[in-house]
């Protein structure tokens, strides 16, 4: 199974983003965390910055929207040309409608679940999504500890995706590092977001390859 490593630029130097994107050119996608200070208690960047990052990034963008009312705001992120746009289940009034509007605009449609959000209501909706993001920390900040309590949910989703035969990626985000990536891979993740572990490394590119190798040993 393919393994994808998506560094989160939340841990990058925000004053030198073009240089920072150059450090992760061997990654699969660049994970961009959009926070609105309402859905999560933190504020990062918005549409004009994502549109510009799209132009300078050597790799496709994986946009993670931690915002209220994705029904209203998510489609415009797809229009920037982002390869993947993920919104939160807890924030969306009509998740299927949002996902369809993302696909219509040429993006992969992802749905994110906070640690306390059950996967069950979404299992029958899997054909509507290209990715499910299982948050492995409470969204809002980088550098938090991986919550292994979310692994049963990942197992459930992995079984459902396999049974369906669909090409739905399973992403984990939060606390992914040399010690935890194998746990998430064993539970069925194939797409790994890593912020502090990649940008905190002396060589981000070497750390990406290390994580890719560790995950590859554990995907099944
Ligand atoms: C957290 C963000 C993550 C964050 C991960 O809400 O969605 O993408 O950057 O950072 P690390 O890998 O440091 O936990
Ligand atoms: Zn994220």
């Amino acid at each position: 199974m393919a393994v994808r490593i998506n560094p989160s630029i939340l841990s990058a130097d925000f004053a030198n983003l073009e240089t920072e994107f150059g450090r992760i050119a061997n990654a699969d996608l660049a994970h961009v965390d959009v926070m609105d200070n309402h859905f999560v208690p933190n504020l990062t960047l918005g549409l004009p910055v994502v549109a510009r990052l799209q132009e300078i990034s050597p790799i496709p963008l994986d946009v993670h929207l931690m915002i209220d009312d994705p029904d209203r705001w998510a489609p415009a992120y797809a229009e920037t040309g982002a390869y993947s746009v993920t919104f939160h289940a807890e924030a969306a009034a009509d998740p299927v409608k949002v996902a369809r509007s993302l696909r219509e605009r040429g993006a992969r449609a992802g749905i994110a679940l906070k640690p306390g959000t059950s996967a069950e209501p979404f299992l029958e909706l899997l054909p509507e999504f290209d990715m499910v993001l299982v948050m492995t920390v409470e969204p809002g900040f980088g550098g938090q500890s991986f919550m292994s309590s979310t692994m049963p949910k990942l197992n459930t989703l992995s079984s459902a995706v396999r049974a369906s035969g669909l090409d739905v990626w399973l992403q984990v985000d939060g606390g992914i590092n040399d010690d935890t990536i194998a746990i998430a891979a064993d539970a069925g993740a194939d797409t790994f977001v890593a912020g502090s572990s990649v940008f905190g490394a002396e060589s981000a590119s070497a750390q990406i390859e290390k994580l890719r190798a560790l995950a590859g040993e554990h995907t099944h």
Side-chain angles (χ1 to χ4, degrees):
M1 186 193 285
V3 166
R4 283 162 289 269
I5 304 295
N6 300 0
S8 164
I9 65 155
L10 189 59
S11 293
D13 176 355
F14 270 52
N16 294 288
L17 283 175
E18 191 161 12
T19 308
E20 293 285 69
F21 271 80
R23 296 176 68 205
I24 60 163
N26 62 323
D28 294 277
L29 296 105
H31 184 84
V32 179
D33 289 302
V34 174
M35 305 185 188
D36 66 353
N37 209 25
H38 289 268
F39 181 71
V40 289
N42 196 4
L43 184 66
T44 53
L45 46 83
L47 196 54
V49 178
V50 172
R52 183 70 185 116
L53 293 177
Q54 176 69 39
E55 293 171 358
I56 62 110
S57 179
I59 52 176
L61 298 191
D62 169 35
V63 176
H64 177 194
L65 299 176
M66 284 161 278
I67 60 171
D68 279 343
D69 202 2
D71 305 69
R72 176 173 177 191
W73 301 111
Y77 286 89
E79 284 169 6
T80 67
Y83 186 80
S84 176
V85 177
T86 300
F87 60 95
H88 268 267
E90 305 84 4
D94 188 342
V96 169
K97 192 172 169 196
V98 178
R100 288 179 182 174
S101 77
L102 294 172
R103 284 176 164 178
E104 275 167 21
R105 287 162 175 79
R108 288 178 65 96
I111 186 154
L113 310 176
K114 296 208 293 187
T117 302
S118 167
E120 308 297 339
F122 302 99
L123 299 180
E124 64 184 24
L125 300 176
L126 284 176
E128 300 286 348
F129 302 106
D130 300 297
M131 185 168 81
V132 181
L133 165 50
V134 173
M135 288 302 300
T136 42
V137 298
E138 289 296 342
F141 300 92
Q144 301 183 80
S145 297
F146 178 81
M147 294 168 65
S148 53
S149 57
T150 59
M151 292 300 97
K153 177 164 58 183
L154 192 51
N155 268 309
T156 299
L157 282 160
S158 178
S159 301
V161 169
R162 276 160 205 272
S164 72
L166 294 163
D167 181 27
V168 178
W169 298 356
L170 293 179
Q171 185 175 69
V172 284
D173 181 8
I176 299 297
N177 57 33
D178 296 358
D179 300 322
T180 59
I181 195 164
I183 301 168
D186 280 333
D190 51 41
T191 306
F192 304 86
V193 177
S196 45
S197 121
V198 167
F199 282 100
E202 196 174 324
S203 168
S205 60
Q207 180 61 15
I208 289 163
E209 293 311 331
K210 185 177 184 187
L211 290 171
R212 185 177 279 132
L214 286 168
E217 286 167 17
H218 288 264
T219 41
H220 41 84

